[in-house]
Amino acid sequence: KAGIRLLATLKYWEIQEYTVHHIFQKWVKKFPQKVAFRCEDRVLTFQQVENITNQLSRYFKEECNLSRGDCVAILLPNSEYYPCYWMGLSKIGVISALINTNQVGKVLEHSLKVSEARTLIYDTSFTPVLKNISEFLKDFKLLSVGEGEAVEGSIDFWKSVPHYNKEPLTGEINKGKFKGKLLYIYTSGTTGLPKAAIITNLRAMMMSMGVKHWSGIKEDDVIYDSLPMYHTAGGVVGCFQTLLGGSTVVIRQKFSASNFWSDCIKYDCTVAQYIGEICRFLLLTPTSPKDRAHSVRLVVGNGLRPQIWEHFVQRFNIKDVCEFYGATEGNSNLINCWNHTGAVGYVPWFAKTIYPVDLIKVDESTLEPIRDPKTGLCIRCKVNEPGLCVGKILKARSTSTFSGYVDVEATKKKIIRDVFSKGDSVVNSGDLLVKDELGYFYFRDRTGDTFRWRGENVSTSEVEAIISNIVGLKDATVYGVEIPGVEGRAGMVAIMDEEKKLDLNRLEEGVKKELSSFARPVFVRVINSIPMTGTFKIQKNKLQNEGYDPKKISDPLYFFKDGKEYVKLDEALYKKIVNNEIKL
């Protein structure tokens, strides 16, 4: 029923050529004084959001001379106003590039460059970062927000905005298209420079309304959103529950594990969002009466590991989990709203033609699809056989379109052609999944998150889960590192231990008991914090590049000597390892 309701809703909106603004205005009429967005004790009602975005759209059009098809970059922290900026811009057809607030230097320059924006709205807390790229910004129009020091030449545009008319620019809004560009949201950049994914009205509607209908979010729900507004989960899946669904969204400026449940209690939240490692962070906090004193019945997100799923729902008394899967730019979105532990989605056999998402065989060494030598087509995976998740591109079907990236060449690289029949095409998700006999999908590894050691494939996620349990749910991340002259990659684990309480003997005994010999980490790094992206994804490439050289790393390092015990890794031992004087 939820799927049919979603498809019917999207089809109706497509026929009507609706954009997010047409839907939001219906909610404004229904709930003008209801709280739309809350951040700490500051609130904006539905009517206030409508008024402010109308004023902003007039300001951008009349004072900034922006017009349909232009792009404006937004570099702002989370706040109740964040969605208002891009809404005001989109009312006149201007695309907003939502810049990751963790970016600096060349990466920040790259993100601004690919967006082709020539106007930047920024908070003055980012002034030091922007001063470092001042030469790059010399041709930008800079609009500042906040009371701190602004970059030279900036305009404090809130001085002018309140003077503008609060009535909507109806003619401009009605020029918007159902499939028109709305936002540019950047990939996390864990495997290279960030790419700007195109989010259309359709894409935003499909993602947010899909989560709403399948998970059972209602208009009277209060949703706790501590995720970054510049990312899909927080800025689209979260905020659009207000814009398209009439719910109240509580925005936290920055995620805090210690304040998560306190906030949910304070603001009477009934739904909470999570991504990446958030659930594990919450489990790492000391037990408290607040763990179960909240009213949250449903958590929605992606990245809840199977190994901690049951522990999480039991400790925090969560009735329902809605785990979804899908990349910002992809078309192979999946959802599991049946509390099926560990599953990231479900597509029953009878829905394959309606929603053509499937797994194909790939060569794990090259990550290239394996093709049938007779037909030249790709080979579908069998039940419980890991494969690359792909979504068929069907331009006529709203749930199967693919807008790709701003970079046309990057978009082409995501497409695989002649897959199930000659002339068809699919989007390469880059992820390995497995499907069981019932149609449930399970995440295995993001392509490249396995490594070979001693002729065996090592799954980093499986080793991480086991080691985390061995050392008492401490944060642990596993990756492969190269040793000169040795085939494959040796396993290395970085364990977060701020309190310096890691028990090496317990770790030794645990890995020998719980892990196969080839999966036991050869190196251990004890670290104060695991490097993360702004969307709580571990930056394994950073750890991998730093390696295990004690000259370069000040953190304590250990080596699994003779496969029996972890000994301190000093410069002398390091030289013996890289010179192959020690048998591995």
Side-chain angles (χ1 to χ4, degrees):
K1 289 183 179 180
I4 294 171
R5 192 161 64 247
L6 172 63
L7 291 172
T9 299
L10 292 176
K11 192 63 183 176
Y12 176 72
W13 288 353
E14 182 178 8
I15 292 169
Q16 297 296 319
E17 202 65 74
Y18 279 166
T19 64
V20 58
H21 306 294
H22 294 107
I23 312 303
F24 180 67
Q25 285 174 342
K26 293 178 183 294
W27 290 113
V28 173
K29 289 178 181 177
K30 186 175 182 179
F31 299 128
Q33 299 311 312
K34 180 181 177 179
V35 174
F37 298 114
R38 176 191 293 274
C39 186
E40 297 176 352
D41 294 323
R42 305 183 303 273
V43 300
L44 289 177
T45 66
F46 277 76
Q47 188 64 62
Q48 286 174 321
V49 171
E50 172 68 5
N51 292 346
I52 290 166
T53 55
N54 288 337
Q55 289 177 308
L56 285 168
S57 64
R58 290 178 180 274
Y59 171 83
F60 291 133
K61 180 178 173 64
E62 297 172 25
E63 199 156 327
C64 299
N65 296 317
L66 291 167
S67 58
R68 191 164 299 277
D70 288 342
C71 179
V72 170
I74 294 176
L75 180 65
L76 297 169
N78 280 14
S79 77
E80 71 279 17
Y81 279 92
Y82 193 104
C84 298
Y85 293 103
W86 65 254
M87 282 184 71
L89 288 162
S90 63
K91 281 186 172 183
I92 59 169
V94 176
I95 306 156
S96 296
L98 309 185
I99 305 298
N100 185 323
T101 55
N102 296 295
Q103 292 180 357
V104 296
K106 294 296 181 184
V107 177
L108 177 56
E109 287 184 9
H110 165 80
S111 292
L112 293 170
K113 184 178 180 180
V114 298
S115 74
E116 298 184 346
R118 283 295 172 263
T119 301
L120 171 65
I121 303 172
Y122 74 96
D123 187 88
T124 52
S125 60
F126 298 110
T127 294
V129 172
L130 295 177
K131 281 186 174 180
N132 288 336
I133 61 166
S134 57
E135 182 64 23
F136 177 84
L137 294 172
K138 63 183 181 181
D139 294 326
F140 273 70
K141 184 167 190 172
L142 302 175
L143 306 177
S144 66
V145 177
E147 298 177 358
E149 179 191 2
V151 177
E152 186 178 352
S154 299
I155 299 168
D156 182 356
F157 76 108
W158 274 110
K159 288 183 178 179
S160 301
V161 171
H163 303 299
Y164 279 85
N165 195 303
K166 296 178 181 178
E167 292 301 310
L169 290 167
T170 306
E172 285 290 345
I173 292 172
N174 288 339
K175 290 178 184 177
K177 300 295 182 184
F178 178 69
K179 295 182 180 179
K181 294 179 184 178
L182 184 67
L183 305 168
Y184 293 154
I185 294 183
Y186 293 79
T187 60
S188 58
T190 50
T191 56
L193 288 171
K195 295 185 284 289
I198 298 169
I199 304 297
T200 61
N201 278 280
L202 160 60
R203 179 82 178 137
M205 289 169 171
M206 193 272 288
M207 286 190 287
S208 56
M209 295 305 286
V211 168
K212 175 182 171 64
H213 287 311
W214 283 106
S215 68
I217 294 175
K218 304 176 182 67
E219 63 189 51
D220 57 354
D221 274 319
V222 178
I223 300 159
Y224 185 65
D225 186 353
S226 59
L227 314 181
M229 292 291 104
Y230 59 73
H231 200 257
T232 312
V236 177
V237 174
C239 284
F240 274 68
Q241 300 305 324
T242 293
L243 306 178
L244 299 180
S247 303
T248 295
V249 171
V250 176
I251 298 169
R252 183 174 176 86
Q253 187 164 346
K254 195 172 184 180
F255 166 74
S256 165
S258 59
N259 289 300
F260 192 93
W261 299 115
S262 299
D263 283 351
C264 288
I265 293 168
K266 181 178 180 179
Y267 302 119
D268 296 319
C269 296
T270 53
V271 178
Q273 286 187 267
Y274 66 88
I275 54 171
E277 303 296 316
I278 279 181
C279 294
R280 190 146 60 101
F281 293 157
L282 293 174
L283 281 172
L284 290 170
T285 60
T287 55
S288 161
K290 293 178 181 178
D291 290 353
R292 300 170 69 87
H294 54 81
S295 300
V296 174
R297 74 173 197 286
L298 166 72
V299 292
V300 177
N302 62 292
L304 179 52
R305 297 188 181 195
Q307 296 85 355
I308 65 169
W309 188 303
E310 292 297 334
H311 186 190
F312 181 83
V313 297
Q314 288 171 14
R315 174 177 166 181
F316 299 114
N317 194 31
I318 303 299
K319 181 183 176 184
D320 292 306
V321 175
C322 178
E323 170 83 6
F324 60 83
Y325 160 81
T328 296
E329 71 282 10
N331 69 342
S332 53
N333 302 79
L334 298 168
I335 196 163
N336 165 26
C337 53
W338 295 273
N339 294 307
H340 200 85
T341 302
V344 298
Y346 174 63
V347 180
W349 63 269
F350 57 82
K352 286 182 180 179
T353 54
I354 301 171
Y355 196 62
V357 173
D358 215 331
L359 308 180
I360 60 172
K361 291 185 178 183
V362 290
D363 183 326
E364 291 191 18
S365 61
T366 64
L367 307 179
E368 288 295 318
I370 297 173
R371 294 182 180 269
D372 186 314
K374 294 180 179 178
T375 65
L377 302 176
C378 295
I379 304 169
R380 294 181 195 269
C381 291
K382 297 176 182 176
V383 169
N384 295 322
E385 185 176 27
L388 182 70
C389 184
V390 297
K392 194 171 183 179
I393 300 172
L394 298 170
K395 293 181 180 179
R397 191 173 297 170
S398 57
T399 53
S400 300
T401 57
F402 178 55
S403 300
Y405 306 108
V406 174
D407 184 336
V408 176
E409 290 304 312
T411 300
K412 290 178 181 177
K413 290 178 182 178
K414 289 289 286 186
I415 298 173
I416 305 172
R417 302 187 185 279
D418 298 329
V419 179
F420 303 120
S421 61
K422 292 294 181 181
D424 72 355
S425 57
V426 302
V427 179
N428 177 352
S429 71
D431 289 321
L432 294 176
L433 273 65
V434 127
K435 183 172 64 174
D436 67 16
E437 61 278 358
L438 298 175
Y440 282 98
F441 288 78
Y442 302 84
F443 188 81
R444 277 297 173 263
D445 288 293
R446 184 167 292 274
T447 304
D449 243 11
T450 59
F451 59 88
R452 286 182 71 80
W453 180 243
R454 294 181 179 172
E456 300 283 353
N457 287 327
V458 180
S459 168
T460 60
S461 59
E462 290 178 15
V463 177
E464 285 164 356
I466 291 169
I467 288 179
S468 182
N469 286 327
I470 291 171
V471 297
L473 286 177
K474 290 180 185 294
D475 227 354
T477 186
V478 174
Y479 45 98
V481 291
E482 292 182 337
I483 299 175
V486 179
E487 186 180 351
R489 290 177 181 266
M492 184 166 183
V493 60
I495 301 174
M496 193 171 84
D497 184 33
E498 294 175 290
E499 298 175 357
K500 312 299 181 190
K501 292 183 179 179
L502 178 65
D503 187 338
L504 281 177
N505 291 328
R506 182 178 174 183
L507 177 62
E508 288 165 7
E509 294 306 312
V511 298
K512 286 188 281 188
K513 181 181 178 182
E514 302 289 342
L515 291 170
S516 302
S517 58
F518 64 84
R520 295 168 191 165
V522 175
F523 300 101
V524 174
R525 177 177 176 179
V526 182
I527 198 167
N528 286 329
S529 62
I530 303 290
M532 296 271 182
T533 67
T535 52
F536 304 98
K537 292 178 182 175
I538 297 169
Q539 291 180 305
K540 286 193 180 183
N541 57 334
K542 183 176 187 296
L543 292 168
Q544 207 165 29
N545 291 336
E546 289 171 353
Y548 49 93
D549 185 347
K551 274 187 177 180
K552 298 177 180 177
I553 297 170
S554 58
D555 300 320
L557 294 169
Y558 299 92
F559 171 67
F560 202 35
K561 187 179 180 183
D562 300 324
K564 294 179 180 179
E565 62 177 335
Y566 284 107
V567 298
K568 187 174 178 60
L569 178 57
D570 55 22
E571 289 183 35
L573 182 55
Y574 172 79
K575 287 180 181 177
K576 289 182 179 180
I577 293 169
V578 296
N579 290 328
N580 303 133
E581 295 174 20
I582 291 179
K583 187 178 180 181
L584 292 168

